[in-house]
Amino acid sequence: GAVVSQHPSRVICKSGTSVKIECRSLDFQATTMFWYRQFPKQSLMLMATSNEGSKATYEQGVEKDKFLINHASLTLSTLTVTSAHPEDSSFYICSAERRTAYNSPLHFGNGTRLTVT
Amino acid sequence: GENVEQHPSTLSVQEGDSAVIKCTYSDSASNYFPWYKQELGKGPQLIIDIRSNVGEKKDQRIAVTLNKTAKHFSLHITETQPEDSAVYFCAASGPPTGYSTLTFGKGTMLLVSP
C-alpha cells in the first residue's frame, strides 16, 4: 500500500532557530503534497499545498516566509519553520496525492511533533 | 468554503456495542467523504471513504452512509473492540478546490471499554 514517511518524528529546538521537516512518498510518485498543522485535541488545519516544480499555495493566514515549502522531486517535499517561536509548537502532518491514480485516497505521514523552547 | 461539523466530540461505548459518528457538510458541490482514524501521536489513517454516487459502503465492521439531499454522512462501527479507541475525523472535498483538498471535522474521541 501507499506509504508516506515523515522525518523527524520529534524535534525540539530553541526559539529563533529554523527546523526542516521532510515528507517522502516511499512507493509512489506524488505530484501534490499537503502540509497540515494540528494543535492538541484539535482538528487538522491545512497550511499549504505543495506542487512538484512550482511554488506552494498557502492557506489564508499562513505566512509563506515563515513556513518555507520546497517540493523538488516527485517523492519529497520539505517544510522549513524559520525563526521558530514557542507558538509554532505543534504537530505537523503531511499527506501525498498519488500522481498516476485519479481520485486515489490521500495517505498521511505519521507527523512531526515540534516543540520550540 | 466548505464547513464540516462532526458530532459527538466524545463517545464512550462498551466493547461489543455499536458506535455512530455523524458529520454534516455545507457545500453541495462536495463529492468525496473519507473517514480517518488517528491514534495518539500518529498521523491519520484512512479507514473508509465514500463518493457521492454511492449511498452506502461497508468494509467488515465499518460502514459509511451518505445522504446528499440532507448533506450528512455517518460512520458506523459494529462490534466495537478496545483497539477501536482513537480519534476519528470525517472530511469532505470536491470542486472547485479539488478532490485532495480536504476539509476536516473537529474529530470524535471514541473510547471502547472492555
Side-chain angles (χ1 to χ4, degrees):
Chain A
V3 178
V4 176
S5 173
Q6 266 185 258
H7 179 81
S9 57
R10 292 175 179 268
V11 59
I12 300 172
C13 70
K14 292 187 176 180
S15 187
T17 62
S18 295
V19 173
K20 180 184 283 190
I21 302 169
E22 292 187 348
C23 179
R24 293 181 184 272
S25 56
L26 297 185
D27 58 353
F28 65 98
Q29 292 183 327
T31 311
T32 305
M33 291 185 175
F34 301 85
W35 287 96
Y36 292 83
R37 181 168 50 187
Q38 186 179 33
F39 291 108
K41 296 186 179 181
Q42 293 191 23
S43 189
L44 287 80
M45 298 302 295
L46 180 65
M47 299 175 65
T49 301
S50 168
N51 297 295
E52 187 266 337
S54 64
K55 291 183 178 181
T57 303
Y58 290 81
E59 295 299 302
Q60 193 172 8
V62 178
E63 299 176 60
K64 62 180 181 180
D65 294 330
K66 181 170 183 62
F67 298 100
L68 300 179
I69 291 172
N70 185 280
H71 193 155
S73 77
L74 285 170
T75 59
L76 174 65
S77 176
T78 60
L79 168 69
T80 301
V81 183
T82 62
S83 187
H85 292 286
E87 56 265 32
D88 297 325
S89 298
S90 189
F91 194 50
Y92 292 86
I93 311 171
C94 71
S95 66
E97 177 183 78
R98 189 186 291 264
R99 179 188 185 194
T100 55
Y102 177 70
N103 281 355
S104 64
L106 275 184
H107 295 275
F108 285 79
N110 262 335
T112 297
R113 173 74 60 195
L114 170 63
T115 303
V116 184
T117 61
Chain B
E2 177 64 276
N3 182 50
V4 178
E5 299 284 343
Q6 183 171 348
H7 298 281
S9 56
T10 58
L11 178 60
S12 294
V13 300
Q14 291 291 123
E15 182 177 3
D17 288 349
S18 295
V20 180
I21 302 170
K22 298 181 178 182
C23 289
T24 60
Y25 60 99
S26 61
D27 190 346
S28 56
S30 290
N31 54 14
Y32 176 62
F33 308 93
W35 285 88
Y36 287 87
K37 174 183 180 182
Q38 186 178 28
E39 297 177 336
L40 191 63
K42 295 187 177 181
Q45 280 188 304
L46 179 71
I47 56 172
I48 196 167
D49 59 6
I50 191 168
R51 292 173 174 78
S52 60
N53 58 345
V54 176
E56 183 175 359
K57 184 176 178 179
K58 189 174 182 179
D59 182 3
Q60 299 184 342
R61 297 186 297 110
I62 295 173
V64 57
T65 58
L66 170 66
N67 183 326
K68 283 212 70 180
T69 303
K71 290 189 283 188
H72 65 71
F73 56 113
S74 301
L75 178 70
H76 304 252
I77 306 175
T78 59
E79 300 172 26
T80 54
Q81 302 165 3
E83 50 265 38
D84 293 330
S85 296
V87 179
Y88 290 81
F89 291 96
C90 64
S93 69
T97 53
Y99 177 85
S100 298
T101 304
L102 298 173
T103 300
F104 284 87
K106 292 188 182 300
T108 296
M109 179 175 290
L110 174 64
L111 177 61
V112 181
S113 302

